[in-house]
Amino acid sequence: MQKFDKIRPFYDAEVNEAIQASVNHPMMKALMGFTFPDVDEEVWKDQLKRTHSIRDFQCNFIYKSVQKVLEKSSEGLTTSGFEKLEPNTSYLFISNHRDIILDTSLLNVSLFDHGLVMTASAIGDNLVKKSFLKTLSKLNRNFIVQRGLPPRELLESSKLMSEYIAQLLLRENRSVWIAQREGRTKDGNDATHSGVLKMLAMGSDEANLMDYFKKIKIVPVSISYEYDPTDALKMPQLIAEANDEIYIKEKNEDFITLLSGIIGQKKRIHISVGDILDSELDKIAQEFDNNKNQIQALAQVIDDSILQSYKLWPTNYIAYDLLNKSDAHSHLYTENEKSLFERRLEMKIDENNPQMFESFLAMYANPVVNKSKYQNAE
């Protein structure tokens, strides 16, 4: 067994066999029926059976699936900053994390549209327990992050993953997407967890850690949805945490959340690419002499970039004003936008539960608070 076999996506030589084994799976039929509603089943099956590389699978099938998701459940995707990136160049994209599948899928669609290298992307093993989902993720160039391991195994798993990411970026010229934290942001407070950066640092063979981070070309990315399609689903966990209770997921909760993220209404979506981190890393290396402090400083730089380029929507300002019983931002939304948001609130949240009501509003309002803190600090 090769070193990375446990976590890596398929090699192109394995793609066709995996497709042949999955082509009649009910979930494949559902995915293709959604993507190509006017195409006869035999036609897409025939094309799938002739697919021999991840790139062909992504470009001919998944790209079109994502376009269909955008068409059915959003008012369109806009982007900014992609012109900073060079073609045929690999980058490490670190982004805020709002939706299980879409964050990385939409980034890849945008990279493809701009003629840039698409990513290999991290996915938690909790999301690919069903064998078909594992196959689909490996066909989509996902690599597996093992969750919930005891400390020693976690260390080994982190080291393996960091080495794999380094190999992709530095030897295979393959971009990588990784979330700034384990799990999605549930409360609207996007923050980079230092554990993610510590894991990446394990792949370094440089004497100076910041030299390694320069070499792998870190690009912070911010993604914002006007409506979070899983907003109400995040409530039980937020409430439990607010009450210092341990939250235990339902049996199929991850899968239901994954589907809701894909088909739920998002309205407008924006992806913004920050600057490739370079001079900031030199500054960190000069100011801090130990790795721990350097990693904390780097997390702050990534957070600043993500907050700076995070696009705020009317929903964020409406939630802020409702939460604070003010009309401070009323010039940034219309009465119609406000009544639509209030209707969503009524439909999704029991207004007799003030804690849930506040948590729901805070999820949308926190990006306004965080961005204003950043702007005031400038």
Side-chain angles (χ1 to χ4, degrees), residues 43-60:
V43 175
W44 60 252
K45 274 190 181 175
D46 190 47
Q47 198 185 350
L48 264 178
K49 286 175 184 171
R50 290 201 308 262
T51 299
H52 290 267
S53 72
I54 285 185
R55 186 176 174 83
D56 281 354
F57 180 71
Q58 286 188 311
C59 298
N60 297 330

Side-chain angles (χ1 to χ4, degrees), residues 5-172:
D5 280 358
K6 203 172 174 185
I7 60 169
R8 67 169 175 81
F10 290 124
Y11 294 135
D12 282 346
E14 300 164 330
V15 163
N16 190 259
E17 188 184 337
I19 287 175
Q20 299 277 4
S22 309
V23 76
N24 291 311
H25 193 284
M27 286 172 86
M28 184 66 94
K29 287 185 179 180
L31 176 64
M32 294 300 144
F34 169 78
T35 307
F36 306 110
D38 306 322
V39 175
D40 189 66
E41 187 175 305
E42 288 313 308
V43 175
W44 60 252
K45 274 190 181 175
D46 190 47
Q47 198 185 350
L48 264 178
K49 286 175 184 171
R50 290 201 308 262
T51 299
H52 290 267
S53 72
I54 285 185
R55 186 176 174 83
D56 281 354
F57 180 71
Q58 286 188 311
C59 298
N60 297 330
F61 299 97
I62 297 302
Y63 178 86
K64 289 173 179 166
S65 303
V66 178
Q67 295 294 356
K68 206 72 181 168
V69 168
L70 287 170
E71 182 191 312
K72 295 255 185 208
S73 70
S74 82
E75 289 175 13
L77 168 67
T78 52
T79 62
S80 55
F82 282 87
E83 68 286 346
K84 300 170 191 173
L85 306 176
E86 299 284 334
N88 306 317
T89 306
S90 61
Y91 298 97
L92 174 64
F93 296 103
I94 300 184
S95 86
N96 63 331
H97 191 22
R98 295 302 176 84
D99 187 88
I100 295 172
I101 295 292
L102 280 182
D103 292 353
T104 173
S105 302
L106 294 172
L107 174 63
N108 271 326
V109 158
S110 306
L111 289 167
F112 179 75
D113 286 344
H114 287 86
L116 299 160
V117 175
M118 289 192 286
T119 69
S121 304
I123 190 167
D125 62 358
N126 54 310
L127 302 171
V128 291
K129 289 202 170 99
K130 294 178 179 1
S131 65
F132 174 77
L133 289 179
K134 189 165 191 178
T135 298
L136 188 63
S137 73
K138 288 170 76 170
L139 283 169
N140 215 17
R141 207 176 265 118
N142 290 122
F143 56 92
I144 308 291
V145 182
Q146 292 168 295
R147 300 257 197 250
L149 297 173
R152 183 178 290 174
E153 285 173 45
L154 180 65
L155 189 66
E156 283 168 22
S157 164
S158 296
K159 187 149 178 45
L160 184 71
M161 192 160 65
S162 67
E163 287 173 19
Y164 183 60
I165 290 170
Q167 170 163 312
L168 288 167
L169 290 162
L170 301 174
R171 293 184 200 89
E172 297 182 21

Side-chain angles (χ1 to χ4, degrees), residues 318-332:
I318 293 162
Y320 180 93
D321 283 358
L322 288 172
L323 191 61
N324 294 285
K325 298 182 174 54
S326 82
D327 55 6
H329 300 94
S330 58
H331 59 293
L332 296 167

Side-chain angles (χ1 to χ4, degrees), residues 259-278:
L259 276 184
S260 303
I262 292 168
I263 60 180
Q265 178 53 240
K266 294 164 267 292
K267 289 192 83 176
R268 291 172 291 182
I269 307 165
H270 188 78
I271 296 181
S272 179
V273 168
D275 292 333
I276 303 149
L277 299 186
D278 190 274

Side-chain angles (χ1 to χ4, degrees), residues 81 84-85 217-221 273-278 280 305 308-309:
K84 300 170 191 173
L85 306 176
K217 295 193 275 298
I218 296 173
V219 179
V221 174
V273 168
D275 292 333
I276 303 149
L277 299 186
D278 190 274
E280 301 87 344
S305 173
Q308 191 179 8
S309 61

